[in-house]
Amino acid sequence: MSQVSGGRWFGPAGSSTGDAQVFVFPYAGGVAASFAQWQELAAPELSVQVALMPGRGARLHEAPVDDLPELVDALATAVIERASGPFLLAGHSLGALVAFEVTRELRRRGAPAPLALLVGGAEAPQTRLVRRRVHDLDDAGLVEALRDFGATPVALLADRDLMELVLPAVRADFALSERYVYRPEPPLVVPVHVLLGDRDEHVDPDRAAGWARECVTEPLRHVFPGGHFFLSDHLPEIIDLMRHIVASHTAVAD
């Protein structure tokens, strides 16, 4: 298999001498640059690989993808190509849904499974509720929705020219989430860690509890102080959790 797919979706391979790779899937509108601190804090034990989504960042001038099966197929291929040993899959909000579906796609293909799946700020696939169709809003409404979520810098929201460039990708991301149709499959054997903010207005804890339906063993629940984007305030703890998962696997393997 060529290196075109992996490089397109995760950037240059570089050299990874860590204990494991962490493939990260961004939230709606998220760019790889937003996860630079993940890479800094995780090194050298973990090599963080952030998905480069079309329509933003280094792929700004590519057409965004609004079809989830198409996106999952491409990302699963890229993960298979890039994975060089033990790895984790992690995602936040929309990224959690993508990470879940990529994990199932890897299983369908008989490919190596991740050591664990970490899903943050997301209700479970079967029990999630789409409260409003953000992707159907006009541009002004979409900007206000981004302001409400709180992850987009205010200066960026005020830059009309730049927003005109990125809004198609943001709209496509929300469409991925809001058009999602769950397909029943056997529960995952992969351990699942559910990361939640205790003041997240966009995630109902009871609906997040539905992740238990998607795995053979009870998912491990980690609740942090904060809203929907609690990750930024608790990143060292989350990276330590990843290190612990990898270390536990290594100890068992030895």
Side-chain angles (χ1 to χ4, degrees):
M1 183 179 293
S2 73
Q3 294 298 311
V4 173
S5 178
R8 180 186 178 202
W9 288 96
F10 292 106
S15 58
S16 173
T17 57
D19 300 322
Q21 294 162 293
V22 183
F23 293 99
V24 179
F25 304 99
Y27 48 86
V31 296
S34 301
F35 294 86
Q37 193 177 9
W38 286 54
Q39 297 165 324
E40 294 170 3
L41 290 177
E45 298 93 343
L46 304 176
S47 172
V48 175
Q49 315 264 317
V50 184
L52 306 175
M53 307 296 282
R56 83 272 342 244
R59 303 178 67 183
L60 178 61
H61 298 292
E62 295 184 35
V65 178
D66 62 2
D67 179 81
L68 191 59
E70 176 187 343
L71 178 65
V72 167
D73 181 72
L75 286 169
T77 296
V79 168
I80 291 170
E81 183 178 293
R82 178 58 60 87
S84 57
F87 65 94
L88 309 175
L89 294 187
H92 184 74
S93 199
L94 167 65
L97 188 63
V98 173
F100 167 70
E101 287 296 344
V102 169
T103 303
R104 298 212 296 180
E105 179 62 20
L106 294 176
R107 180 175 62 180
R108 293 182 204 114
R109 299 191 193 185
L115 301 182
L117 169 64
L118 290 86
V119 290
E123 296 173 350
Q126 290 189 62
T127 55
R128 65 197 299 270
L129 176 65
V130 176
R131 294 165 177 79
R132 58 174 176 164
R133 293 175 65 84
V134 175
H135 77 276
D136 285 335
L137 297 173
D138 60 17
D139 286 356
L142 192 53
V143 168
E144 287 307 307
L146 290 175
R147 194 186 309 277
D148 177 55
F149 275 99
T152 308
V154 174
L156 174 58
L157 293 173
D159 189 328
R160 293 186 178 182
D161 292 337
L162 190 52
M163 289 305 296
E164 185 176 345
L165 289 175
V166 302
L167 280 181
V170 173
R171 190 180 303 282
D173 281 355
F174 279 107
L176 290 172
S177 174
E178 293 159 9
R179 293 174 182 166
Y180 175 73
V181 177
Y182 179 81
R183 293 177 295 172
E185 290 187 16
L188 296 170
V189 177
V190 172
V192 175
H193 293 256
V194 181
L195 284 59
L196 301 170
D198 65 359
R199 299 189 304 278
D200 188 344
E201 297 179 353
H202 301 282
V203 175
D204 182 319
D206 291 335
R207 293 185 183 278
W211 282 105
R213 302 184 185 185
E214 305 303 336
C215 42
V216 172
T217 57
E218 187 71 17
L220 295 175
R221 188 180 177 107
H222 310 269
V223 181
F224 300 89
H228 192 58
F229 287 97
F230 61 89
L231 293 178
S232 58
D233 293 328
H234 301 282
L235 189 52
E237 298 161 72
I238 293 167
I239 297 296
D240 282 346
L241 170 62
M242 294 177 179
R243 288 196 181 99
H244 176 74
I245 293 169
V246 174
S248 298
H249 169 79
T250 302
V252 170
D254 291 343

